[in-house]
Amino acid sequence: MLEKLQPQPIDPILSLVDIVRADARAEKVDLGVGVYIDESGRTPIMAAVKAAERELLETQESKVYLGSFGDVRSTELIVQLVLGEGLCRTLGGRVRGLQAAGGVAALRLGAELIARAGAPPIVLGRPTWAIHDTIMMAGGAQVRWVEYFDPRRQAVDFDATVDALKSAPSGTPFLVHASCHNPTGADSSPAQWRELAGIVSARGLVPFVDAAYLGLGDGIDADAAGLRLMLEAAPDALVAVSGSKSFGLYRERVGALFILGRTAEVTNVAMTNATAIARTLYSVPPDHGAAIVRLVLEREDLRASWLRELDAMRLRLNAIRADFAARAERAGLPLAPVRDHRGMFSLLPLTPEQVRALRADRAIYMPESGRVNLAALHPERAQYVVDALAAAMGGGR
Ligand code: LMR
């Protein structure tokens, strides 16, 4: 039986972890997988997370199943954080959250809901996170691509997005990044979000928001502002939230799917579908990370500590961007927009051949798309990277 299986392509992002580890060169710079890296080169456990873990160790008395919904209080707190109190009140019973095994599982549950509902193909903006389309198709949804990014301006190609959405049939789902677009770092402006919300409402479209980097752009409320506009405008919507980056809980698989229906009854029926799908994927979601998030959001002191640390991470990211853009400008590289991008990533205008040459000749690692994780760009290594890019792109002075 097994010999009939065909080999699968390696994962474009996760495969880098092993490749980088195997490179012993001292000058190695790893701008690959999207995890936050601090000044000392580590991906730290946030102080509030560590405190919550200590408390769990002391107080948790059982590991018994929590049921299909996982840690209900944790998810409620995530919903309140992401939507804000006002929108939670406005939407009332129309919106409910379901704990999921990380952002990927939340996306996969949403994809299966889309397929079960017989919706038109989901619109994905190109480029997007390397496995968005794979997850959608694994869940049975069909995919339609539109161009999201103008590589020349290194900015959102808003007209292309608007044209595609204006001609999409009613009930068309479309995937939208809440903030800190992965892989481009280019987000819509507040005015563009408002225009998108108008189209969603006029055409009865179904936003499927991927919120994986909240707090790492301009702060939680600013990063969630577009998402909130979408949910105010939409008849139906889905939101996949990940706790990996905002809480640094990558391996704990913290996530939630929010379901917004036209009525509370529609939402409740959709929830029975989502829990039925989850039952066959992972049965019940993992608890440790969700319990940590519950404590962090519930306790005023832990919440304040978490928000302070998240703010520091975001400010550091933006400082790295400014420093990199200035060095690139001095080297004559056309990378000024990196300064205004948000989150961990920017997409550099490199070919896969150039990316492979940077790996082989300079020990600089990134996915073949040319996406760089700026959190990993230590100021002391920034000039080395800029010089290597100038040589690779042939545009330096
Ligand atoms: C990334 O985009 O690098 C991260 O989200 C890790 C992953 O799972 O791809």
Side-chain angles (χ1 to χ4, degrees):
M1 176 189 82
L2 297 179
E3 68 198 14
K4 300 217 172 80
L5 296 176
Q6 297 301 313
Q8 297 297 304
I10 56 165
D11 186 276
I13 296 173
L14 292 185
S15 61
L16 282 176
V17 174
D18 293 327
I19 297 174
V20 173
R21 198 172 291 144
D23 186 336
R25 285 176 288 179
E27 68 272 29
K28 177 168 82 176
V29 184
D30 178 9
L31 306 176
V33 68
V35 297
Y36 183 78
I37 311 277
D38 69 10
E39 307 66 33
S40 63
R42 291 175 321 120
T43 299
I45 299 177
M46 296 175 90
V49 165
K50 203 69 182 163
E53 280 194 306
R54 265 188 228 107
E55 180 164 337
L56 277 179
L57 182 68
E58 293 303 323
T59 58
Q60 199 175 49
E61 285 177 344
S62 175
K63 295 286 184 190
V64 74
Y65 295 124
L66 282 179
S68 305
F69 294 94
D71 186 325
V72 174
R73 180 67 185 142
S74 178
T75 308
E76 269 173 17
L77 289 163
I78 294 175
V79 172
Q80 282 164 17
L81 174 81
V82 175
L83 300 190
E85 269 178 37
L87 186 57
C88 277
R89 252 196 317 277
T90 312
L91 298 176
R94 284 183 59 209
V95 70
R96 287 182 62 191
L98 171 74
Q99 192 197 320
V104 168
L107 286 165
R108 171 65 185 263
L109 292 177
E112 290 206 27
L113 287 180
I114 287 167
R116 280 190 178 203
I122 179 165
V123 173
L124 297 192
R126 188 168 23 217
T128 191
W129 181 37
I131 61 162
H132 264 150
D133 55 329
T134 317
I135 297 173
M136 291 303 119
M137 291 188 289
Q142 292 171 304
V143 166
R144 194 184 127 208
W145 290 103
V146 303
E147 299 312 316
Y148 170 81
F149 188 62
D150 177 353
R152 203 181 42 80
R153 291 185 301 114
Q154 294 166 60
V156 178
D157 187 344
F158 193 64
D159 291 344
T161 306
V162 164
D163 287 349
L165 295 183
K166 277 190 171 159
S167 59
S170 163
T172 294
F174 72 101
L175 195 113
V176 54
H177 299 229
S179 64
C180 309
H181 187 271
N182 179 3
T184 68
D187 290 334
S188 298
S189 68
Q192 288 171 334
W193 275 110
R194 277 193 295 280
E195 196 173 332
L196 285 178
I199 300 169
V200 162
S201 159
R203 300 209 49 83
L205 304 180
V206 184
F208 188 175
V209 186
D210 185 352
Y213 294 87
L214 292 176
L216 288 168
D218 291 303
I220 296 278
D221 286 328
D223 291 353
L227 173 170
R228 293 173 186 174
L229 284 173
M230 288 287 123
L231 266 63
E232 266 178 327
D236 293 343
L238 299 168
V239 182
V241 180
S242 165
S244 296
K245 327 287 159 140
S246 311
F247 292 89
L249 281 165
Y250 309 90
R251 66 173 72 157
E252 303 295 356
R253 311 314 298 144
V254 177
L257 177 72
F258 304 175
I259 298 179
L260 173 77
R262 200 175 287 265
T263 63
E265 205 185 337
V266 170
T267 302
N268 291 340
V269 171
M271 285 290 277
T272 66
N273 279 266
T275 48
I277 297 163
R279 180 71 164 137
T280 65
L281 289 176
Y282 50 81
S283 193
V284 293
D287 178 61
H288 187 64
I292 292 169
V293 168
R294 170 170 45 75
L295 288 177
V296 168
L297 293 179
E298 215 161 38
R299 295 284 164 74
E300 244 173 69
D301 54 337
L302 296 187
R303 191 181 178 111
S305 154
W306 167 64
L307 284 172
R308 265 196 312 277
E309 203 168 337
L310 188 61
D311 262 353
M313 287 158 68
R314 144 180 100 72
L315 294 173
R316 179 168 164 272
L317 274 170
N318 292 342
I320 292 174
R321 289 187 173 284
D323 174 67
F324 175 76
R327 289 175 196 268
E329 193 178 358
R330 285 197 293 276
L333 292 170
L335 297 176
V338 170
R339 180 181 289 112
D340 300 321
H341 292 158
R342 282 293 175 267
M344 290 186 188
F345 309 118
S346 280
L347 191 66
L348 304 185
L350 294 167
T351 63
E353 292 73 32
Q354 288 170 327
V355 170
R356 285 196 290 269
L358 284 166
R359 288 185 196 174
D361 304 339
R362 309 282 186 144
I364 296 174
Y365 286 89
M366 65 189 78
E368 287 195 359
S369 61
R371 185 192 81 170
V372 283
N373 172 15
L374 288 141
L377 189 60
H378 196 282
E380 282 172 14
R381 307 311 314 286
Q383 196 55 46
Y384 174 74
V385 171
V386 166
D387 291 344
L389 288 173
M393 292 164 70
R397 284 196 275 264

